[in-house]
Amino acid sequence: MRVSLAKMFLEIGDVLHSMFSGLWPGIIWALTFVAGLIAPAWPPFAAVCVLVVIDMRTGRQAARHRGEDINSKGMRRSVGKIASYFYLMAAAFIMDRIFLSGLPVDEPILYLASILCAAVEFKSISENVQTVTGVNLWSKVKDRILPNTSKKTDE
């Protein structure tokens, strides 16, 4: 029994040594750790990334419709936008997991942050669609969600 436990701990030591005995194993271990940490939060991250890709595609169509040249500057803005959204959502996730984990909070901050990012992207997509088709999608959605704000009342 003692021999098998000692052998098991030596094997664990060998595995840990091999995990950190080079650049690539250390990078792979760190990425696996980060992926395991944010795994519960992947749906909002993925949804916002999909919206950014849709915005990028509709933005290219709108630029073609306006006769603008398509260059790497727009792609760079999209990458910067994804990074900014990731930072905001990661900070919200950390707030949820570490600082607000025991408090009675109605909605997780991560979902509120992802709704904010999604709304910004939806507005941008609707502007691009309006440029290409002439349909003002944003005002139609806004009238559906907030029907009293667009109509003036005499009260």
Side-chain angles (χ1 to χ4, degrees), residues 43-55 82 85-86 89 121:
F45 280 100
V48 169
C49 285
V50 167
L51 287 173
V52 170
V53 169
I54 292 170
D55 180 36
I82 288 175
Y85 291 158
F86 179 80
M89 292 171 65
E121 284 306 299

Side-chain angles (χ1 to χ4, degrees), residues 97-143:
R97 280 296 175 113
I98 295 175
F99 299 111
L100 303 175
S101 62
L103 299 176
V105 179
D106 290 339
E107 294 297 323
I109 295 176
L110 172 65
Y111 289 105
L112 297 175
S114 63
I115 288 170
L116 174 69
C117 296
V120 169
E121 284 306 299
F122 184 77
K123 173 91 168 99
S124 179
I125 291 167
S126 67
E127 289 170 354
N128 294 334
V129 168
Q130 183 178 3
T131 299
V132 174
T133 65
V135 176
N136 190 347
L137 186 62
W138 180 254
S139 66
K140 292 180 186 293
V141 170
K142 190 174 75 171
D143 290 344

Side-chain angles (χ1 to χ4, degrees), residues 8 12 17 43 45 65-66 81 90 104 108 113 120-121 125 155:
M8 182 180 73
I12 290 172
H17 176 70
F45 280 100
H65 187 69
R66 289 188 299 263
K81 198 183 323 183
V120 169
E121 284 306 299
I125 291 167
E155 297 178 40

